[in-house]
PDB file of all heavy atoms in Angstrom:
ATOM      1  N   HIS A  94       1.909 -15.132  92.119  1.00 98.00           N
ATOM      2  CA  HIS A  94       3.338 -15.058  92.422  1.00 98.00           C
ATOM      3  C   HIS A  94       3.958 -13.929  91.565  1.00 98.00           C
ATOM      4  O   HIS A  94       3.253 -13.397  90.706  1.00 98.00           O
ATOM      5  CB  HIS A  94       4.060 -16.386  92.139  1.00 98.00           C
ATOM      6  CG  HIS A  94       4.070 -16.811  90.738  1.00 98.00           C
ATOM      7  ND1 HIS A  94       2.902 -17.304  90.134  1.00 98.00           N
ATOM      8  CD2 HIS A  94       5.027 -16.905  89.819  1.00 98.00           C
ATOM      9  CE1 HIS A  94       3.257 -17.640  88.851  1.00 98.00           C
ATOM     10  NE2 HIS A  94       4.508 -17.396  88.708  1.00 98.00           N
ATOM     11  N   HIS A  96       6.220 -13.490  89.101  1.00 96.00           N
ATOM     12  CA  HIS A  96       6.828 -13.631  87.795  1.00 96.00           C
ATOM     13  C   HIS A  96       6.185 -12.588  86.839  1.00 96.00           C
ATOM     14  O   HIS A  96       4.958 -12.333  86.898  1.00 96.00           O
ATOM     15  CB  HIS A  96       6.748 -15.015  87.232  1.00 96.00           C
ATOM     16  CG  HIS A  96       7.806 -15.872  87.775  1.00 96.00           C
ATOM     17  ND1 HIS A  96       7.689 -17.268  87.820  1.00 96.00           N
ATOM     18  CD2 HIS A  96       9.079 -15.614  88.146  1.00 96.00           C
ATOM     19  CE1 HIS A  96       8.860 -17.748  88.318  1.00 96.00           C
ATOM     20  NE2 HIS A  96       9.658 -16.810  88.487  1.00 96.00           N
ATOM     21  N   ASP A  98       5.165 -12.808  83.847  1.00 96.00           N
ATOM     22  CA  ASP A  98       3.992 -13.248  83.081  1.00 96.00           C
ATOM     23  C   ASP A  98       2.717 -13.266  83.930  1.00 96.00           C
ATOM     24  O   ASP A  98       1.658 -13.643  83.462  1.00 96.00           O
ATOM     25  CB  ASP A  98       4.267 -14.604  82.314  1.00 96.00           C
ATOM     26  CG  ASP A  98       4.612 -15.745  83.252  1.00 96.00           C
ATOM     27  OD1 ASP A  98       5.303 -15.494  84.277  1.00 96.00           O
ATOM     28  OD2 ASP A  98       4.179 -16.890  82.974  1.00 96.00           O
ATOM     29  N   HIS A  99       2.863 -12.894  85.203  1.00 98.00           N
ATOM     30  CA  HIS A  99       1.687 -12.832  86.129  1.00 98.00           C
ATOM     31  C   HIS A  99       1.520 -11.396  86.733  1.00 98.00           C
ATOM     32  O   HIS A  99       0.395 -11.103  87.147  1.00 98.00           O
ATOM     33  CB  HIS A  99       1.858 -13.824  87.211  1.00 98.00           C
ATOM     34  CG  HIS A  99       1.913 -15.274  86.657  1.00 98.00           C
ATOM     35  ND1 HIS A  99       0.797 -16.074  86.680  1.00 98.00           N
ATOM     36  CD2 HIS A  99       2.906 -15.958  86.008  1.00 98.00           C
ATOM     37  CE1 HIS A  99       1.138 -17.218  86.001  1.00 98.00           C
ATOM     38  NE2 HIS A  99       2.351 -17.169  85.617  1.00 98.00           N
ATOM     39  N   HIS A 164       7.248 -23.681  93.241  1.00 97.00           N
ATOM     40  CA  HIS A 164       7.603 -23.057  91.941  1.00 97.00           C
ATOM     41  C   HIS A 164       8.999 -22.559  92.051  1.00 97.00           C
ATOM     42  O   HIS A 164       9.722 -22.948  92.975  1.00 97.00           O
ATOM     43  CB  HIS A 164       6.606 -21.916  91.715  1.00 97.00           C
ATOM     44  CG  HIS A 164       6.647 -21.361  90.351  1.00 97.00           C
ATOM     45  ND1 HIS A 164       6.816 -22.107  89.253  1.00 97.00           N
ATOM     46  CD2 HIS A 164       6.410 -20.074  89.917  1.00 97.00           C
ATOM     47  CE1 HIS A 164       6.850 -21.337  88.184  1.00 97.00           C
ATOM     48  NE2 HIS A 164       6.551 -20.098  88.529  1.00 97.00           N
ATOM     49  N   SER A 165       9.473 -21.747  91.169  1.00 96.00           N
ATOM     50  CA  SER A 165      10.867 -21.404  91.164  1.00 96.00           C
ATOM     51  C   SER A 165      11.091 -20.016  91.824  1.00 96.00           C
ATOM     52  O   SER A 165      12.223 -19.476  91.754  1.00 96.00           O
ATOM     53  CB  SER A 165      11.372 -21.328  89.738  1.00 96.00           C
ATOM     54  OG  SER A 165      10.548 -20.485  88.962  1.00 96.00           O
ATOM     55  N   ILE A 166      10.093 -19.428  92.501  1.00 96.00           N
ATOM     56  CA  ILE A 166      10.187 -18.110  93.115  1.00 96.00           C
ATOM     57  C   ILE A 166       9.524 -18.272  94.516  1.00 96.00           C
ATOM     58  O   ILE A 166       8.635 -19.007  94.669  1.00 96.00           O
ATOM     59  CB  ILE A 166       9.499 -17.099  92.204  1.00 96.00           C
ATOM     60  CG1 ILE A 166       9.657 -15.652  92.734  1.00 96.00           C
ATOM     61  CG2 ILE A 166       7.974 -17.434  91.964  1.00 96.00           C
ATOM     62  CD1 ILE A 166       9.258 -14.594  91.682  1.00 96.00           C
ATOM     63  N   ASP A 186       1.260 -20.999  88.821  1.00 98.00           N
ATOM     64  CA  ASP A 186       2.316 -21.863  88.326  1.00 98.00           C
ATOM     65  C   ASP A 186       2.753 -22.792  89.419  1.00 98.00           C
ATOM     66  O   ASP A 186       2.933 -22.328  90.556  1.00 98.00           O
ATOM     67  CB  ASP A 186       3.531 -20.995  87.890  1.00 98.00           C
ATOM     68  CG  ASP A 186       3.256 -20.172  86.646  1.00 98.00           C
ATOM     69  OD1 ASP A 186       2.157 -20.151  86.170  1.00 98.00           O
ATOM     70  OD2 ASP A 186       4.263 -19.499  86.217  1.00 98.00           O
ATOM     71  N   HIS A 391       8.002 -25.921  86.642  1.00 97.00           N
ATOM     72  CA  HIS A 391       6.598 -26.306  86.362  1.00 97.00           C
ATOM     73  C   HIS A 391       6.435 -27.858  86.445  1.00 97.00           C
ATOM     74  O   HIS A 391       7.396 -28.610  86.203  1.00 97.00           O
ATOM     75  CB  HIS A 391       6.247 -25.842  84.910  1.00 97.00           C
ATOM     76  CG  HIS A 391       6.300 -24.368  84.760  1.00 97.00           C
ATOM     77  ND1 HIS A 391       5.237 -23.525  85.047  1.00 97.00           N
ATOM     78  CD2 HIS A 391       7.283 -23.561  84.381  1.00 97.00           C
ATOM     79  CE1 HIS A 391       5.615 -22.286  84.932  1.00 97.00           C
ATOM     80  NE2 HIS A 391       6.888 -22.268  84.441  1.00 97.00           N
ATOM     81  N   HIS A 413      -2.251 -21.620  80.907  1.00 97.00           N
ATOM     82  CA  HIS A 413      -0.801 -21.341  81.007  1.00 97.00           C
ATOM     83  C   HIS A 413      -0.027 -22.296  80.026  1.00 97.00           C
ATOM     84  O   HIS A 413       0.741 -23.154  80.463  1.00 97.00           O
ATOM     85  CB  HIS A 413      -0.322 -21.457  82.378  1.00 97.00           C
ATOM     86  CG  HIS A 413       1.060 -20.821  82.629  1.00 97.00           C
ATOM     87  ND1 HIS A 413       2.239 -21.226  82.171  1.00 97.00           N
ATOM     88  CD2 HIS A 413       1.303 -19.646  83.315  1.00 97.00           C
ATOM     89  CE1 HIS A 413       3.223 -20.413  82.567  1.00 97.00           C
ATOM     90  NE2 HIS A 413       2.655 -19.485  83.299  1.00 97.00           N
TER      91      HIS A 413
HETATM   92 ZN1   ZN B 625       5.929 -18.488  87.327  1.00 91.41          ZN
END
Side-chain angles (χ1 to χ4, degrees):
H94 65 290
H96 277 154
D98 58 326
H99 298 259
H164 189 36
S165 53
I166 184 168
D186 289 5
H391 300 272
H413 200 289

